[in-house]
Amino acid sequence: SKLSAEKLKSIEKFAIWEKCIVGKNDIPIARLIKKLENGDWVNQGRKYIYSGTKCPFCQKDTIDDDFRKQLESFFDEEFEKDVEEVKDKKEEYIREKANVLSAINDLVKQDFEEDEKLLIQHLYESLEKCIQTNESNMDDKIKEPGKKIIINCSDKYTDEINAIIDKKNNEIIKHNNLVDNYQDEKRKLISDIWILVAKENSTLISQ
């Protein structure tokens, strides 16, 4: 059967990878964060400022409740939802990768010619490298949600593997048709022989 890689393809084409995931614009602190273009850095630093008033970076008493509220408001529910979606899609991608690569491993154990097996193995390795690069880029997106990333399409490799499968299936169908035709022709030949024998015997009897 053909390789099913539609889920892998749909994750790679998901719009979230090219979305700049940033906080709300209508918060006083937003203008500064956007001007400095350091939203991802601020987001990563949030976990360090929830106890005491001292800034963990400059070591000055600049952290108060208002500042904390502004940070919470900037990184709002939509921001958190998008970040979670990125993480979920990465996990889904890993699961689909395992399914597809496992299916290819099973495929090379089937009745293919040696050159076909070598080609499938080469495509497998190229596909694996493509997916590894994508996973690394997805990790970057998780660390820096505001960053747009490039996700390479893996379908050029899976499509080539499916083309090899199609070719093999067509060869099997062609062979089966030849066998069927041979059996039909054999039956027709036997029938013709018996008809001929019957005619000859009929002629002899009538004489």
Side-chain angles (χ1 to χ4, degrees):
S1 61
K2 292 179 72 171
L3 195 63
S4 177
E6 285 304 310
K7 286 186 180 178
L8 207 65
K9 181 180 176 180
S10 68
I11 295 169
E12 290 167 354
K13 293 185 177 298
F14 204 64
I16 198 80
W17 310 122
E18 294 185 0
K19 180 179 179 179
C20 289
I21 303 173
V22 294
K24 292 178 72 174
N25 292 320
D26 57 351
I27 308 297
I29 200 174
R31 186 186 300 175
L32 176 61
I33 292 173
K34 289 184 182 297
K35 183 178 179 181
L36 298 176
E37 296 182 344
N38 63 359
D40 293 323
W41 180 82
V42 173
N43 182 43
Q44 291 172 30
R46 279 196 295 163
K47 57 188 173 186
Y48 300 110
I49 65 165
Y50 288 102
S51 60
T53 59
K54 187 170 288 187
C55 172
F57 305 107
C58 69
Q59 296 301 307
K60 294 181 180 179
D61 291 321
T62 56
I63 309 299
D64 57 19
D65 288 339
D66 180 60
F67 182 78
R68 290 191 183 92
K69 285 178 183 176
Q70 285 195 49
L71 278 184
E72 284 297 322
S73 297
F74 182 76
F75 298 105
D76 62 354
E77 187 177 332
E78 184 180 353
F79 176 89
E80 298 293 351
K81 177 174 166 289
D82 284 344
V83 171
E84 280 305 308
E85 192 164 31
V86 169
K87 292 177 182 177
D88 290 344
K89 288 298 175 186
K90 163 78 187 303
E91 291 302 314
E92 189 180 349
Y93 193 68
I94 291 172
R95 289 194 298 272
E96 286 306 313
K97 171 194 74 172
N99 292 337
V100 171
L101 295 183
S102 175
I104 298 173
N105 276 324
D106 290 340
L107 192 65
V108 293
K109 297 173 187 174
Q110 296 179 21
D111 189 23
F112 285 95
E113 301 296 332
E114 280 305 312
D115 60 332
E116 292 172 328
K117 287 183 179 181
L118 286 172
L119 180 54
I120 291 171
Q121 184 61 38
H122 172 71
L123 290 167
Y124 174 97
E125 291 168 2
S126 298
L127 173 64
E128 193 173 33
K129 285 179 184 176
C130 175
I131 291 173
Q132 286 173 350
T133 300
N134 286 342
E135 285 181 354
S136 177
N137 290 342
M138 288 174 187
D139 285 335
D140 289 343
K141 182 71 173 176
I142 292 170
K143 291 174 189 172
E144 300 179 60
K147 178 181 180 181
K148 290 183 179 181
I149 61 167
I150 294 172
I151 298 296
N152 298 306
C153 292
S154 61
D155 57 357
K156 59 184 174 183
Y157 306 112
T158 53
D159 285 351
E160 279 195 58
I161 291 172
N162 277 332
I164 296 170
I165 296 170
D166 282 339
K167 179 173 175 284
K168 193 68 178 178
N169 287 339
N170 289 334
E171 288 173 357
I172 292 170
I173 291 168
K174 187 176 179 182
H175 175 265
N176 289 342
N177 287 339
L178 284 172
V179 171
D180 290 342
N181 289 338
Y182 170 77
Q183 294 298 334
D184 289 341
E185 291 299 322
K186 183 179 178 181
R187 283 190 292 269
K188 186 174 180 295
L189 177 62
I190 292 170
S191 176
D192 289 344
I193 290 171
W194 278 112
I195 290 170
L196 180 62
V197 168
K199 281 182 178 179
E200 288 180 351
N201 286 336
S202 175
T203 303
L204 288 171
I205 291 169
S206 64
Q207 290 175 352

